[in-house]
Amino acid sequence: MAAYEHLRYCDELEAEVDRLAAAVNEAELDLFVPTCPEWTVRVLVDHCGGTLLWGGELVSRRSQARLSGRSLQLSPPDGRSGDPAWLRECGARLLSALRAADPDETMWAWGEDQHVRFWSRRMLHEMLVHRVDLLTVSGSSIDVAPEIAADCLDEFFVNLRRAAEFSPRVLEIAGGGETIAVQCSDVPDSWTVAMLPRGFSIVSGAPPTPDVRVTGTARDLMLLFNRRAALSALPVEIAGDLGVLEGWLDKSALE
């Protein structure tokens, strides 16, 4: 990733934190979040702030190993639980560390890319998905630029294998070579998911004759594969073996 791409992700992350904080201003903190059933809005906000602070500590230290949250102060100060201003402050700390860093410097990351640059991209999409969670509480429209939604989906695919550390059902994904073509209808992005005897593979581009093809806007596909909306609730087109797609969605859900 070139430095300008890293800085572009930082700019997008800053805008996404602002959108998330603005949505918090309109939310009732004690309502439960449908896509995170055990969380209230307040818990979601505090989780996002703590995640931003954790990322900031990792990047500022160029940590070569995972930092335990128990060793850090990631909770909001007294009286600031659910505070959107605190959320913005947490974002600013991470962004300061990211913008001061060389994106090509090596450091620990839970995903595939073991460099600083992993975190600018990951945190953008972490905050985006949690903004979606927040908007589901009120049923508000979910606005995402198609290019960002497609990148969110690509980032999900790139890191899914490594996510087995905290989502062990990913290790159950297997098959006999069945393929899923994922095709965006509003941007020229597509992927092929292949179910293999020992796991799976994901590559860019869609094959002409997959076992099942799912086509939709980048936003709708992002919601589907991140399990933020049910297949039946989205206007996506399915052609082929629905069972193959449903099996993938069941086992690839992140916990």
Side-chain angles (χ1 to χ4, degrees), residues 80-92:
R80 301 198 68 186
S81 177
D83 181 359
W86 175 75
L87 185 63
R88 285 191 171 95
E89 292 166 16
C90 296

Side-chain angles (χ1 to χ4, degrees), residues 108-114 118-119 122 158-160 162-163 166:
W108 176 85
W110 66 257
E112 287 293 320
D113 189 0
Q114 300 286 297
F118 169 86
W119 292 103
R122 169 88 289 272
V158 165
N159 293 308
L160 182 60
R162 295 289 291 267
F166 50 85

Side-chain angles (χ1 to χ4, degrees), residues 59-252:
V59 174
S60 63
R61 301 182 192 192
R62 311 297 193 272
S63 182
Q64 299 302 306
R66 186 184 187 280
L67 295 178
S68 170
R70 296 184 181 90
S71 66
L72 305 170
Q73 178 50 257
L74 303 181
S75 300
D78 289 346
R80 301 198 68 186
S81 177
D83 181 359
W86 175 75
L87 185 63
R88 285 191 171 95
E89 292 166 16
C90 296
R93 287 178 60 179
L94 170 60
L95 285 160
S96 177
L98 285 169
R99 286 170 169 150
D102 178 352
D104 294 330
E105 193 167 352
T106 59
M107 64 171 291
W108 176 85
W110 66 257
E112 287 293 320
D113 189 0
Q114 300 286 297
H115 297 87
V116 167
R117 61 191 180 225
F118 169 86
W119 292 103
S120 54
R121 189 186 193 201
R122 169 88 289 272
M123 287 298 188
L124 165 61
H125 298 313
E126 176 85 5
M127 294 303 112
L128 168 58
V129 170
H130 283 317
R131 177 167 64 91
V132 168
D133 291 327
L134 182 56
L135 293 174
T136 63
V137 176
S138 61
S140 301
S141 62
I142 299 169
D143 296 323
V144 185
E147 295 79 9
I148 297 296
D151 191 67
C152 181
L153 183 51
D154 185 71
E155 195 256 356
F156 171 81
F157 285 147
V158 165
N159 293 308
L160 182 60
R161 195 182 312 278
R162 295 289 291 267
E165 181 177 346
F166 50 85
S167 295
R169 291 203 70 198
V170 169
L171 298 174
E172 299 176 17
I173 299 174
E178 299 89 348
T179 55
I180 304 169
V182 183
Q183 179 73 59
C184 295
S185 59
D186 51 349
V187 288
D189 293 85
S190 60
W191 301 263
T192 298
V193 178
M195 316 281 273
L196 306 174
R198 294 186 178 181
F200 59 92
S201 69
I202 304 175
V203 297
S204 296
T209 56
D211 289 281
V212 60
R213 184 184 303 275
V214 53
T215 304
T217 65
R219 189 208 74 148
D220 288 345
L221 293 175
M222 179 201 78
L223 295 176
L224 176 64
F225 283 88
N226 279 281
R227 303 303 303 277
R228 261 46 192 190
L231 182 59
S232 60
L234 292 168
V236 296
E237 297 179 11
I238 309 295
D241 189 340
L242 179 59
V244 172
L245 176 60
E246 289 177 332
W248 168 269
L249 292 174
D250 179 49
K251 292 183 174 62
S252 65

